[in-house]
């Protein structure tokens, strides 16, 4: 194979990234777009990089050491990467390679000035831009200087920040290669960056231009604030002109320097509006060529724009695909389901098949299109009311969209607005037998599913599952179940509204719902206290569990005193709750039954922090507090004018809330129970595919949609490249934060609390469980890492039902995501924990170990230390 050390830029395009790197590939593509000017130049290819690396002493051994370093060990990374860079720069470039690199300079001008820029193969990717990770050198003059700076670019593959970035993004150092771009230098009057989508809001129809005088290094380095122009529909809609006191200019003999700008020019715009609009038109052409929003570096020389780089904007949250050009408004499903992490394709597609309404995917998250409901005044009011009760931030975000004139079309009330949202629930008798009947129906349906699925394999399994999904939806939409759910929630809202109006008391329902019956999620937390009671008397058993790392520990327990009883207790717990896990709406997440070791730290916390019999005592204490609260409320109501009527109404609602609020948690339990049955059957099918050598490993099915997996089972053929691409995409989705509301223009909205009744510096959220508590904040991002003590306040991005075993041992709760009726809020009220949810950035703004005070009645957090 003939090695080619140099390519002209015109020879490169986006398909040649492995040869010319990300920057070179994009520049080659740019040079082919009609009307786009790119400075002339050439690429030193990855063949040249591999040739020089073969000359570097002990490089393989050093990279092996680098691979083994922890990404958080910055000192070790800094020292070893500096050593590797120094060795590469000191390695002599072989004569034939040096000649190949300097030969094009004769054509372009040996004494001309050049920009010498790194172009890594793992750079400017759709999912990882690597912006600023390697080096660029400007105004390099002469062949010897060009060659010296090419060596520096090769070495810059191992800057500390580039090494750390690759490790955090799962990119192997050995696979990363470095090409180098050498281009004729442009000496601009102005330069800067064009974003073809607004980098702050994500709006794809708003372009942002940052501009300054001289070379762009002044902006990139932060030496000056840029002029900022926003363009929409071919006109400048906003501009901010900065005082630009300094600029970076090229020196005649090479290199650059800072210069002061004449005071009369400092506050003049660096571009005219006409130039800004012309630049954005160029940007739209570039965006269309690459097929996604771009971050474009540009220079203006003699009223002519030259483009020196274009890369995808990797921080934008993608927009769900639509089959029309109409405006759409999407609401996040993850914020309602308390799981904003990305889901794998199998989990996404199965949730879509089982959902009651159409759901749209973007970046591994699901969204519901609410445009039609927002278009009609009647359905809009109902939607905003129900969403506002659950999550004020989502309501605020929707109202922000509605304020955008003309974005949401206006339809008459008679237009099809979809099924009604919330509203008055149909009457259902306040009778515990209703809940008993609903639970029995659900259990019978799951038992029938487990029985009938046993004999199904191959394509017949998928036909059966499609029928099972319809039964799944039938169970979910059971009218009696819906009425029972709404009865509990309506009674809660009624009590909070009326008791505040009549007695001036906030969130009175929080105490009235303590230890409500039939709450399967709160029972799950208390049941793990009972497991701890079995283990606590046996010190040897406790010591063994402290060392557990593998999931086969249950088989070892009978060898220890008390171990058989402990194993039986844990097994019984898993039989009832083993289908649960963190992020359980994604069927691909490992369940407790599959990873029982996940529960061990929580069991040990319970052993350490509680006395025997704590579960029963906690439940009875809660029930007694609720009973006393009921008596207190009714007594105070009777003392009011028209008190007997008010007390009678309140009594009916208290009975109603205690009858039905516990059932709020049961439908989710049924969903997850059914889903685990589906999962086990699909994994058995995957094991057959592995044995048939169709799949490399059974978990590969998680990266296929349900229909794709069905096709693989029928054909016994799988696209391995597709599976690999999906794995890489899934990894990249973790870097994106899903918004509560997303528009088809790409505008991402998180909403805001419009409040001025909190102390300065307090963090605002939604009050979901009354009370005030101060304590040590424990910031926990993964339940498996929780190390909690009595009195701690749990601070976490979100909680779903699987977190409830932790709730029994904490004093308060703060989450970034949640609403009044989401699972964390319901269980916090069940356990009497002061809780504030929907606190934007809580895990970033509150440090682990800080003392904080949670105001669960008023909805804010004070940081005390």
């Amino acid at each position: 194979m003939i090695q080619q050390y140099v390519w002209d830029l015109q020879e490169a395009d986006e398909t040649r990234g492995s040869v010319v790197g990300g920057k070179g590939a994009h520049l080659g593509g740019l040079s082919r777009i009609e009307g786009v000017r790119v400075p002339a130049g050439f690429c030193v290819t990855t063949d040249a990089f591999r040739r020089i690396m073969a000359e570097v002493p002990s490089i393989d051994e050093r990279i092996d050491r680098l691979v083994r370093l922890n990404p958080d060990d910055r000192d070790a990374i800094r020292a070893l990467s500096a050593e590797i860079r120094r060795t590469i720069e000191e390695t002599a470039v072989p004569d034939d390679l040096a000649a190949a690199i300097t030969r094009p300079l004769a054509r372009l001008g040996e004494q001309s000035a050049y920009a010498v820029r790194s172009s890594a193969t793992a750079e400017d990717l759709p999912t990882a831009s690597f912006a600023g990770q390697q080096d660029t050198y400007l105004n390099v003059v002469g062949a010897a200087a060009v060659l010296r700076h090419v060596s520096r670019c090769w070495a810059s593959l191992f800057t500390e920040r580039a090494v750390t970035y690759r490790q955090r993004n799962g990119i192997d150092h050995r696979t990363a290669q470095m090409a180098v771009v050498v281009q004729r230098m442009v000496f601009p009057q102005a330069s800067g960056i064009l974003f073809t989508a607004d980098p702050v809001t994500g709006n794809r129809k708003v372009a942002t231009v940052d501009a300054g005088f001289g070379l762009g290094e002044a902006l990139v380095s932060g030496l000056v604030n840029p002029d900022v122009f926003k363009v929409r529909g071919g006109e400048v809609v906003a501009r901010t002109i900065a005082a630009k006191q300094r600029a970076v200019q090229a020196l005649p003999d090479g290199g650059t320097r800072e210069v002061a700008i004449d005071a009369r020019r400092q506050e003049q715009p660096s571009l005219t509006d006409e130039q800004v609009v012309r630049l954005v038109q160029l940007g739209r052409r570039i965006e269309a060529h690459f097929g996604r929003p771009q971050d474009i570096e540009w220079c203006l020389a003699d009223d002519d724009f030259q483009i020196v780089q274009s890369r995808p904007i990797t921080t934008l949250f993608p927009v769900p695909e639509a089959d029309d050009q109409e405006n759409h408004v999407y609401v996040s499903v993850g914020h309602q389901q308390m799981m904003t992490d990305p889901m794998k394709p199998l989990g996404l597609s199965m949730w879509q098949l089982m959902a009651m309404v159409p759901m749209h995917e973007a970046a591994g998250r699901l969204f519901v299109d609410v445009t039609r409901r927002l278009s009609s005044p009647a359905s809009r009011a109902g939607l905003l009311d129900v969403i506002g009760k659950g999550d004020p931030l989502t309501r605020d975000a929707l109202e922000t969209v509605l304020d955008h004139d003309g974005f949401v079309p206006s339809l008459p009330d008679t237009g099809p607005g979809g099924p009604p949202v919330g509203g008055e629930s149909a009457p259902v008798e306040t009778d515990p037998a209703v809940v008993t009947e609903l639970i029995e129906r659900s259990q019978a349906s799951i038992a029938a599913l487990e029985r009938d699925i046993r004999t199904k394999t191959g394509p017949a399994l998928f036909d059966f599952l499609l029928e099972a999904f319809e039964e799944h939806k039938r169970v979910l939409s059971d009218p009696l179940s819906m009425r029972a759910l709404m009865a509990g929630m309506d009674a809660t809202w009624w009590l909070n509204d009326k008791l505040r109006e009549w007695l001036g008391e906030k969130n009175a329902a929080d105490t009235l719902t303590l230890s409500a019956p039939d709450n399967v999620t709160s029972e799950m937390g208390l049941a793990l206290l009972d497991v701890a009671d079995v283990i606590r008397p046996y010190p040897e058993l406790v010591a063994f569990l402290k060392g557990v790392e593998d999931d086969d520990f249950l088989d070892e327990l009978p060898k220890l005193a008390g171990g058989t009883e402990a194993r039986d207790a844990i097994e019984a717990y898993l039989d009832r709750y083993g289908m649960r896990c963190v992020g359980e709406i994604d069927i691909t997440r490992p369940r407790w039954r599959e990873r029982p070791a996940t529960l061990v730290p929580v069991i040990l916390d319970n052993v350490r922090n509680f006395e025997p019999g704590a579960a029963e005592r906690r439940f009875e204490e809660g029930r007694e507090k609720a009973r006393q609260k009921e008596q207190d409320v009714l007594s105070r109501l009777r003392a009011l004018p028209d008190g007997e009527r008010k007390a009678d109404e309140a009594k009916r609602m208290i009975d109603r809330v205690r009858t039905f609020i516990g059932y709020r948690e049961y439908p989710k339990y049924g969903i997850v129970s059914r889903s685990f049955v589906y999962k086990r059957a699909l994994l058995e099918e995957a094991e057959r595919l592995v044995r048939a050598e169709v799949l490399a490993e059974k978990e590969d099915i998680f990266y296929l949609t349900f229909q794709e997996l069905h096709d693989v089972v029928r054909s016994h053929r799988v696209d391995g490249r597709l599976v690999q691409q999906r794995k890489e995409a899934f990894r990249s989705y973790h870097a994106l934060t899903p918004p509560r509301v997303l528009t088809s223009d790409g505008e991402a909205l998180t909403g805001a609390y419009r409040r001025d009744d909190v102390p300065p510096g307090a963090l605002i959220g939604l009050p979901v469980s009354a009370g005030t508590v101060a304590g040590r904040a424990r910031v926990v991002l993964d339940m498996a890492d929780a190390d909690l003590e009595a009195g701690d306040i749990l601070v976490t991005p979100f909680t779903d039902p699987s977190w409830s075993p932790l709730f029994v041992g904490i004093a308060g709760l703060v989450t970034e995501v949640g609403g009044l009726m989401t699972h964390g809020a319901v269980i916090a009220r069940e356990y009497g924990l002061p809780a504030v949810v929907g606190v934007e950035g809580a895990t970033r703004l509150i440090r682990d170990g800080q003392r904080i005070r949670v105001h669960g009645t008023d909805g804010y957090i004070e940081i005390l230390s």
Side-chain angles (χ1 to χ4, degrees):
M1 180 177 175
I2 299 174
Q3 291 182 318
Q4 192 167 357
Y5 295 136
V6 172
W7 280 24
D8 189 273
L9 264 183
Q10 297 280 343
E11 297 178 87
D13 63 25
E14 302 92 302
T15 67
R16 302 294 185 174
S18 63
V19 179
V20 297
K23 190 177 278 97
H26 278 78
L27 285 167
L30 284 166
S31 68
R32 296 163 183 259
I33 304 172
E34 184 179 353
V36 175
R37 288 199 58 197
V38 175
F42 60 93
C43 294
V44 181
T45 69
T46 52
D47 280 345
F49 176 75
R50 283 189 289 273
R51 171 77 185 278
I52 197 69
M53 290 296 279
E55 305 281 332
V56 177
S58 309
I59 192 64
D60 289 338
E61 182 268 331
R62 289 172 179 173
I63 293 177
D64 285 343
R65 282 163 49 203
L66 198 61
V67 168
R68 291 193 294 269
L69 291 179
N70 186 315
D72 295 323
D73 191 347
R74 298 188 63 175
D75 290 340
I77 289 174
R78 184 180 301 116
L80 185 51
S81 60
E83 178 186 320
I84 293 172
R85 285 198 313 279
R86 187 169 56 252
T87 307
I88 293 172
E89 289 183 29
E90 291 171 353
T91 299
V93 180
D95 291 344
D96 62 322
L97 178 54
I101 293 171
T102 56
R103 194 175 298 124
L105 298 178
R107 171 174 55 83
L108 294 169
E110 288 193 23
Q111 292 309 306
S112 295
Y114 294 91
V116 182
R117 313 169 72 196
S118 64
S119 181
T121 54
E123 176 177 30
D124 295 345
L125 304 175
T127 57
S129 75
F130 271 77
Q133 299 302 316
Q134 284 95 29
D135 290 347
T136 288
Y137 301 96
L138 301 179
N139 201 29
V140 179
V141 179
V146 167
L147 198 60
R148 184 166 64 253
H149 286 88
V150 167
S151 285
R152 289 181 177 176
C153 283
W154 285 331
S156 75
L157 188 67
F158 295 97
T159 62
E160 178 189 349
R161 60 185 182 273
V163 166
T164 303
Y165 194 91
R166 281 196 297 274
Q167 287 183 307
R168 295 197 187 284
N169 283 273
I171 298 169
D172 190 337
H173 299 303
R174 299 182 190 86
T175 63
Q177 306 282 312
M178 178 65 82
V180 182
V181 173
V182 181
Q183 285 178 283
R184 285 284 295 267
M185 186 72 188
V186 179
F187 299 98
Q189 289 93 45
S191 58
I193 299 168
L194 160 62
F195 299 96
T196 64
D198 190 313
V200 177
T201 68
N203 195 319
R204 272 47 165 194
K205 292 188 177 177
V206 176
T208 301
V209 176
D210 289 3
F213 295 124
L215 293 168
E217 295 307 291
L219 301 187
V220 173
S221 66
L223 181 65
V224 297
N225 291 324
D227 296 338
V228 180
F229 303 86
K230 291 190 181 294
V231 177
R232 181 174 187 137
E235 64 175 315
V236 176
V237 295
R239 68 178 63 74
T240 303
I241 307 304
K244 301 167 289 295
Q245 297 176 339
R246 305 188 70 75
V248 174
Q249 292 185 347
L251 293 168
D253 297 327
T256 61
R257 69 173 178 182
E258 292 179 21
V259 297
I261 295 176
D262 185 277
R264 290 168 296 181
R265 291 185 65 213
Q266 287 179 6
E267 295 191 19
Q268 291 181 359
S270 46
L271 295 177
T272 67
D273 281 9
E274 181 275 329
Q275 289 170 330
V276 170
V277 171
R278 182 154 44 96
L279 174 60
V280 170
Q281 289 170 344
L282 274 179
R284 293 294 179 213
R285 201 174 298 171
I286 293 167
E287 179 184 64
H289 175 84
F290 289 117
R292 58 185 298 160
Q294 297 288 300
D295 165 355
I296 299 166
E297 297 175 24
W298 55 270
C299 297
L300 178 70
D302 300 322
D303 198 35
D304 185 23
F305 286 105
Q306 297 201 47
I307 306 301
V308 294
Q309 177 58 327
S310 184
R311 60 175 71 88
I313 306 176
T314 59
T315 56
L316 296 177
F317 199 88
V319 179
E321 291 184 8
D323 55 8
D324 59 35
Q325 297 302 309
E326 302 297 319
N327 290 344
H328 294 273
V329 182
Y330 302 99
V331 170
S332 165
V333 173
H335 285 81
Q336 312 304 312
Q337 291 293 334
M338 303 297 285
M339 211 290 275
T340 55
D341 289 347
M343 296 167 67
K344 297 187 180 79
L346 184 62
L348 283 167
S349 62
M350 291 184 69
W351 193 263
Q352 287 171 306
L353 286 167
M354 295 181 287
M356 304 304 295
V357 295
M359 291 188 175
H360 308 267
E361 183 272 336
R365 280 79 167 194
L366 291 171
F367 294 84
V368 172
D369 187 343
V370 296
T371 318
R372 298 286 286 178
R373 288 176 179 166
L374 289 175
S375 299
S376 163
S379 59
R380 178 192 310 147
L383 177 71
L384 292 176
D385 181 55
V386 170
I387 282 181
K389 284 178 177 176
D391 182 6
L393 290 177
T394 300
R395 175 174 182 146
D396 183 79
L398 288 173
E399 289 175 334
T400 301
V401 176
L402 289 168
D403 287 340
H404 296 345
D405 288 343
F407 186 84
V408 176
S410 183
L411 298 175
D413 283 346
T414 53
V421 180
E424 293 297 320
S425 57
V428 59
E429 188 179 352
T430 303
D431 182 358
V434 172
V435 173
T436 303
E437 179 187 346
L438 286 168
I439 292 173
E440 288 174 351
R441 285 187 198 178
S442 176
Q443 290 173 337
S445 176
I446 293 167
L449 172 67
E450 290 177 324
R451 180 189 67 238
D452 296 342
I453 204 170
R454 287 175 190 149
T455 59
K456 305 297 188 291
T457 61
L461 170 64
F462 289 80
D463 295 337
F464 173 83
L465 284 173
L466 288 172
E467 294 176 9
F469 297 160
E470 293 307 309
E471 165 67 5
H472 186 117
K473 288 194 276 191
R474 188 198 65 74
V475 171
L476 272 184
S477 59
D478 181 338
L480 183 61
S481 177
M482 299 299 289
R483 283 153 53 200
L485 284 173
M486 288 310 301
M489 290 191 284
D490 285 343
T492 301
W493 292 326
W494 189 96
L495 285 166
N496 280 335
D497 291 344
K498 290 298 184 182
L499 296 182
R500 184 165 190 173
E501 176 188 340
W502 293 339
L503 299 176
E505 186 168 340
K506 296 179 181 178
N507 305 326
D510 294 358
T511 306
L512 294 168
T513 55
L514 287 171
S515 298
D518 299 311
N519 188 320
V520 68
T521 306
S522 63
E523 289 168 359
M524 178 171 70
L526 296 175
L528 209 57
L529 288 175
D530 291 335
V531 172
D533 285 353
V534 175
I535 292 167
R536 190 180 292 104
Y538 302 99
E540 185 184 4
L541 195 55
V542 173
F544 169 78
L545 289 174
K546 287 178 180 177
V548 163
E549 294 181 359
D550 300 322
D551 292 307
D552 57 2
F553 73 95
L554 290 171
D555 296 333
E556 301 297 314
L557 289 181
K559 299 175 184 176
L560 304 168
T564 300
E565 296 90 332
R567 182 194 61 189
D568 291 347
I570 295 172
E571 286 284 0
Y573 187 86
L574 291 172
D575 287 344
R576 179 132 168 82
Y577 304 111
M579 77 294 291
R580 312 219 79 148
C581 69
V582 173
E584 60 192 10
I585 69 169
D586 182 357
I587 197 173
T588 70
R589 291 282 190 110
R591 312 282 130 176
W592 290 342
R593 170 55 78 183
E594 297 168 309
R595 300 264 181 89
T598 305
L599 292 172
V600 170
V602 189
I603 294 171
L604 290 172
D605 282 348
N606 289 347
V607 168
R608 183 176 73 248
N609 294 330
F610 293 93
E611 296 296 323
E616 185 176 354
R617 277 198 309 278
R618 288 286 296 267
F619 188 79
E620 289 302 323
E621 287 168 4
R623 189 155 61 181
E624 178 59 22
K625 285 180 183 177
R627 189 186 65 79
Q628 290 176 0
K629 184 68 173 179
E630 176 182 337
Q631 290 179 342
D632 173 62
V633 163
L634 296 179
S635 172
R636 289 159 62 198
L637 286 174
R638 289 190 184 102
L640 298 175
D642 197 19
E644 287 300 329
R645 178 188 62 81
K646 291 173 179 174
D648 287 347
E649 288 184 20
K651 173 59 176 170
R652 282 198 299 274
M653 285 300 176
I654 291 170
D655 290 346
R656 200 161 177 77
V657 81
R658 290 198 65 79
T659 298
F660 292 115
I661 200 63
Y663 182 69
R664 168 69 182 80
E665 293 294 293
Y666 202 87
K668 181 75 171 288
Y669 177 78
I671 291 171
V672 177
S673 298
R674 293 181 69 88
S675 296
F676 192 35
V677 178
Y678 309 149
K679 180 182 185 180
R680 283 183 294 188
L682 289 173
L683 282 175
E684 287 175 8
E685 202 61 42
E687 288 170 353
R688 284 188 277 273
L689 291 171
V690 171
R691 289 196 295 271
E693 299 183 350
V694 176
L695 294 178
E697 53 189 24
K698 65 181 182 180
E699 286 81 9
D700 283 352
I701 67 167
F702 296 160
Y703 298 94
L704 300 171
T705 67
F706 182 82
Q707 186 56 54
E708 288 166 348
L709 179 55
H710 192 177
D711 294 341
V712 169
V713 168
R714 276 203 304 259
S715 67
H716 267 221
R717 289 195 301 274
V718 68
D719 184 347
R721 288 174 303 176
L722 176 66
V723 170
Q724 189 57 38
Q725 287 168 3
R726 295 266 178 82
K727 289 180 179 180
E728 292 169 4
F730 178 72
R731 277 197 297 270
S732 74
Y733 294 155
H734 283 86
L736 298 174
T737 301
R740 283 176 166 80
V741 172
L742 182 66
T743 73
S744 48
D745 282 356
E747 187 174 6
L749 301 108
T750 57
Y753 294 105
R754 313 291 176 177
R755 294 178 56 187
D756 56 8
D757 59 343
V758 299
L763 307 181
I764 303 174
L766 177 66
V768 295
S769 185
T772 301
V773 65
R776 179 179 65 162
R778 296 314 307 260
V779 179
V780 180
L781 303 182
D782 185 337
M783 179 177 161
D785 298 331
D787 181 14
L788 300 166
E789 294 180 4
D792 284 347
I793 296 169
L794 175 63
V795 181
T796 191
F798 56 82
T799 64
D800 57 15
S802 68
W803 287 72
S804 64
L806 294 181
F807 284 24
V808 299
I810 60 176
L813 174 69
V814 179
T815 69
E816 296 178 332
V817 176
L820 192 63
M821 284 297 171
T822 47
H823 303 279
V826 172
I827 304 309
R829 290 194 292 272
E830 278 279 316
Y831 289 164
L833 300 174
V836 180
V837 302
V839 182
E840 279 291 302
T843 59
R844 176 174 47 83
L845 298 171
I846 299 172
R847 294 195 311 274
D848 186 57
Q850 275 186 315
R851 281 190 59 77
I852 64 173
R853 181 177 290 119
V854 177
H855 293 263
T857 306
D858 295 312
Y860 63 92
I861 316 298
E862 287 182 288
I863 297 177
L864 303 177
S865 66

